[in-house]
Amino acid sequence: TKITRRVTRAGTASLQVAFDDIETFILEKLQKVDEVKGVICWLSNARLLDALASRQADIVVTADSKISQRVLGQYNKCKSVRILGRARGRYRAFAHDKFVVGMKQGKPTFVITGSYNWSAHSAGNIENIIYITNKRIVTAYLNEFQAIRAASRARRKKRKRT
């Protein structure tokens, strides 16, 4: 569905929003940092995964038994990809968050959050993203990441059959 908008991006120095071409918006922001920490429930977008891997990404994702070999290979390029919960099954608990904290020289500089699923399928969806540089808010998201990461588990890498 295509929506015609008067404004597709807007913001101030500490807050920006985007409604269209979100992938490009995220990629532009990721170029400004050397490390990324985040919780992203559906992470399968190849371009975003490549950008995260080149930024020393430490990510928590929702477990999903139907992750493709391509995505698993890209996860292996990241600094760390951990698992929280299960994506399928009754009474399941899983991370539904979608946020990343951009780090520059070990200090948090921004957070990106919103409805946007970091998946290959999201390009055609009606989504939004918010980019925040307010220090107190960014620090709150970093603290949330650390709490979620502490509750997560290491991702088991599948062994190749010989």
Side-chain angles (χ1 to χ4, degrees):
T1 303
K2 185 70 176 165
I3 294 181
T4 304
R5 297 184 177 89
R6 289 183 179 203
V7 176
T8 60
R9 290 188 184 183
T12 64
S14 64
L15 178 70
Q16 296 176 22
V17 298
F19 302 101
D20 288 324
D21 201 15
I22 292 171
E23 180 183 311
T24 301
F25 183 85
I26 293 170
L27 290 169
E28 289 169 2
K29 301 304 182 186
L30 292 179
Q31 289 178 356
K32 298 178 179 186
V33 296
D34 48 40
E35 188 178 1
V36 178
K37 299 177 183 291
V39 183
I40 306 171
C41 62
W42 313 118
L43 178 58
S44 64
N45 180 298
R47 289 181 64 204
L48 293 174
L49 269 164
D50 283 343
L52 290 169
S54 70
R55 298 291 182 266
Q56 293 295 306
D58 187 358
I59 303 293
V60 177
V61 299
T62 298
D64 190 340
S65 61
K66 297 189 180 202
I67 294 175
S68 72
Q69 290 300 311
R70 175 195 59 82
V71 172
L72 290 174
Q74 287 183 290
Y75 282 4
N76 291 339
K77 295 177 186 176
C78 292
K79 178 180 174 182
S80 172
V81 176
R82 296 180 60 84
I83 303 295
L84 184 67
R86 294 189 340 237
R88 302 192 192 302
R90 193 169 185 188
Y91 305 114
R92 68 202 186 277
F94 66 94
H96 196 255
D97 288 317
K98 294 163 249 183
F99 71 85
V100 295
V101 177
M103 308 286 288
K104 187 76 172 181
Q105 297 176 340
K107 297 184 192 268
T109 60
F110 67 75
V111 67
I112 297 174
T113 189
S115 69
Y116 183 75
N117 286 321
W118 296 47
S119 67
H121 303 291
S122 288
N125 294 347
I126 299 168
E127 304 274 5
N128 70 77
I129 206 86
I130 301 170
Y131 171 84
I132 304 165
T133 57
N134 176 284
K135 193 172 190 173
R136 289 176 63 194
I137 294 172
V138 174
T139 300
Y141 272 94
L142 179 60
N143 292 339
E144 180 67 3
F145 163 77
Q146 291 167 339
I148 291 171
R149 189 180 194 288
S152 69
R153 68 183 187 276
R155 183 176 61 84
R156 286 182 292 229
K157 295 181 181 178
K158 292 184 179 180
R159 295 182 193 158
K160 291 184 179 181
R161 293 182 183 171
T162 54

